[in-house]
Amino acid sequence: MNTYRNYDPMVWLQHTWRNRLQSLFLLSLMAAYLGLLGWLLWGPQGLIILLGVGVFGMLFHPTLSPKLIMRMYGARPIQEEQAPVLFQLIGELARRAEIETRPSLYYIPSRMLNAFTVGTPRQSAIAITDGLLRHLETREVVGVLAHEISHIRNNDLWVMGLADLFSRATSLLSTLGQLLLLFSLPLLLFSHVRLNWLAMLLLVFAPTLSTLTQMALSRTRETVADLHAVQLTGDPQGLAQALEKIERIQGGWLERVFMPGRRLPEPSLLRSHPQTEARIKQLMKLNPRQPEWIGAHGQHQAELDPHLKKPVQRHPRWHINGLWY
């Protein structure tokens, strides 16, 4: 893999191991919440059963077909002749990331500025919205694609899928425990049974703690993907410019709709991604430059087939499949 040689490799190594250990700790913490709930509800046997379920989920966690997920979003595949430059660049990124199969590209007719990845390193797909392609230069799109390919290489989709499994199971068990407590209230009121209030608090707040941990894990994986994207492109400024544009254009549109004339500060604990300003600041420490391999296309928008050039007029909206785009 070609790495970004203008940055100290020891610093890369420290970042990598620190984030791996942090991810392992956060996943273990989520498994601990699940195990504690099992202990509270069914004793030692419940703990053993839920730990077994967790191990089974780690080994055999199912993944949906990328084609199925893209169909849910109304995405359509982009053929190589429709965007030759993008295919050339994503092929080079996949080669540098040492991914077995080049990700498929999909186009989503939405004004939102977004890109996301689904699948595994063996079978993956990257979706790009119309808004992203229209507002970003090719150099910036390459930074976004490198970020998404880094998620594929690091198997982040599996990690976050497992975290989501733990979080949903914790919420389900917490709800079950609270219902059992509610039905047992008459017995508790007219008997001398004492409640373990610490256990009750855990029963109530475990889903919230699990969700906060899941968000912290997501922020960690996003930070890793940013750093690995720079390793793939050698161009931290391209990704930094993309993040700034997405925050400014999309954030401004959302604020005009939902929060006209003001910004509401969002606590860091409630974010699934690190703050954009912090991400840009970290990227700009990496000696910005434009690499030669992106070529003359870097300062222009990606060349697209005429069928993809017609501007999307409709605003993003909620769809019956539960997705918003």
Side-chain angles (χ1 to χ4, degrees):
M1 180 186 69
N2 293 348
T3 57
Y4 188 47
R5 302 182 185 281
N6 288 355
Y7 198 56
D8 186 352
M10 287 303 298
V11 175
W12 286 112
L13 190 62
Q14 290 172 7
H15 277 304
T16 299
W17 278 105
R18 183 184 65 188
N19 288 309
R20 283 178 180 174
L21 291 174
Q22 188 175 7
S23 297
L24 180 61
F25 169 74
L26 292 171
L27 271 178
S28 301
L29 195 59
M30 295 185 72
Y33 296 146
L34 188 61
L36 281 174
L37 285 182
W39 179 283
L40 289 176
L41 293 173
W42 300 298
Q45 289 184 341
L47 174 61
I48 294 172
I49 291 173
L50 287 178
L51 287 179
V53 170
V55 172
F56 181 83
M58 290 179 67
L59 296 176
F60 304 103
H61 181 61
T63 55
L64 293 176
S65 164
K67 289 184 180 180
L68 176 61
I69 297 176
M70 291 302 175
R71 198 173 296 126
M72 292 170 62
Y73 273 94
R76 56 180 185 261
I78 301 176
Q79 306 302 327
E80 187 165 358
E81 60 270 17
Q82 293 179 305
V85 174
L86 278 183
F87 269 78
Q88 178 185 350
L89 293 171
I90 200 171
E92 175 63 17
L93 289 172
R95 185 190 68 80
R96 293 183 176 209
E98 299 178 347
I99 295 176
E100 297 178 17
T101 307
R102 184 178 66 181
S104 302
L105 272 179
Y106 282 79
Y107 168 84
I108 296 180
S110 170
R111 295 175 67 178
M112 291 181 67
L113 276 70
N114 193 21
F116 63 88
T117 304
V118 295
T120 65
R122 292 185 178 181
Q123 185 185 18
S124 59
I126 298 176
I128 308 175
T129 63
D130 182 84
L132 191 83
L133 290 173
R134 293 188 183 281
H135 287 93
L136 300 190
E137 298 173 356
T138 300
R139 176 187 184 185
E140 297 159 353
V141 173
V142 169
V144 173
L145 290 175
H147 176 93
E148 298 304 325
I149 284 179
S150 295
H151 280 310
I152 298 171
R153 186 185 73 172
N154 298 330
N155 217 3
D156 286 340
L157 303 171
W158 178 84
V159 172
M160 294 310 301
L162 183 62
D164 186 61
L165 179 66
F166 285 163
S167 183
R168 289 176 184 274
T170 300
S171 297
L172 179 63
L173 289 177
S174 174
T175 302
L176 176 62
Q178 292 178 57
L179 287 174
L180 291 174
L181 180 63
L182 181 64
F183 290 136
S184 303
L185 274 180
L187 179 63
L188 295 172
L189 291 174
F190 297 103
S191 67
H192 298 288
V193 177
R194 291 185 178 181
L195 288 177
N196 185 335
W197 291 107
L198 183 61
M200 293 303 101
L201 287 175
L202 178 62
L203 194 66
V204 172
F205 290 106
T208 301
L209 294 173
S210 185
T211 300
L212 291 176
T213 307
Q214 184 180 3
M215 289 182 175
L217 178 62
S218 176
R219 292 193 298 271
T220 298
R221 303 317 300 167
E222 291 297 326
T223 300
V224 173
D226 282 349
L227 293 173
H228 285 177
V230 175
Q231 281 188 304
L232 296 178
T233 64
D235 181 25
Q237 190 169 17
L239 179 56
Q241 289 177 182
L243 292 173
E244 189 277 330
K245 279 188 180 179
I246 293 170
E247 176 79 6
R248 172 168 47 84
I249 298 172
Q250 183 153 284
W253 183 85
L254 290 174
E255 284 170 8
R256 286 195 296 272
V257 175
F258 297 108
M259 298 179 292
R262 64 192 179 96
R263 277 183 178 267
L264 289 178
E266 184 179 5
S268 296
L269 284 175
L270 300 181
R271 287 177 172 266
S272 61
H273 288 57
Q275 289 186 336
T276 302
E277 184 180 351
R279 295 173 70 182
I280 293 174
K281 186 176 180 181
Q282 175 181 257
L283 288 167
M284 295 308 293
K285 291 179 181 178
L286 308 182
N287 189 16
R289 65 185 179 89
Q290 179 170 339
E292 296 179 359
W293 70 274
I294 294 179
H297 303 286
Q299 300 300 326
H300 306 283
Q301 289 183 338
E303 300 173 8
L304 298 174
D305 184 270
H307 291 91
L308 301 179
K309 286 184 177 181
K310 186 178 180 181
V312 175
Q313 300 297 331
R314 66 172 174 80
H315 290 292
R317 65 182 188 273
W318 183 87
H319 293 257
I320 194 169
N321 55 19
L323 302 171
W324 200 89
Y325 58 91

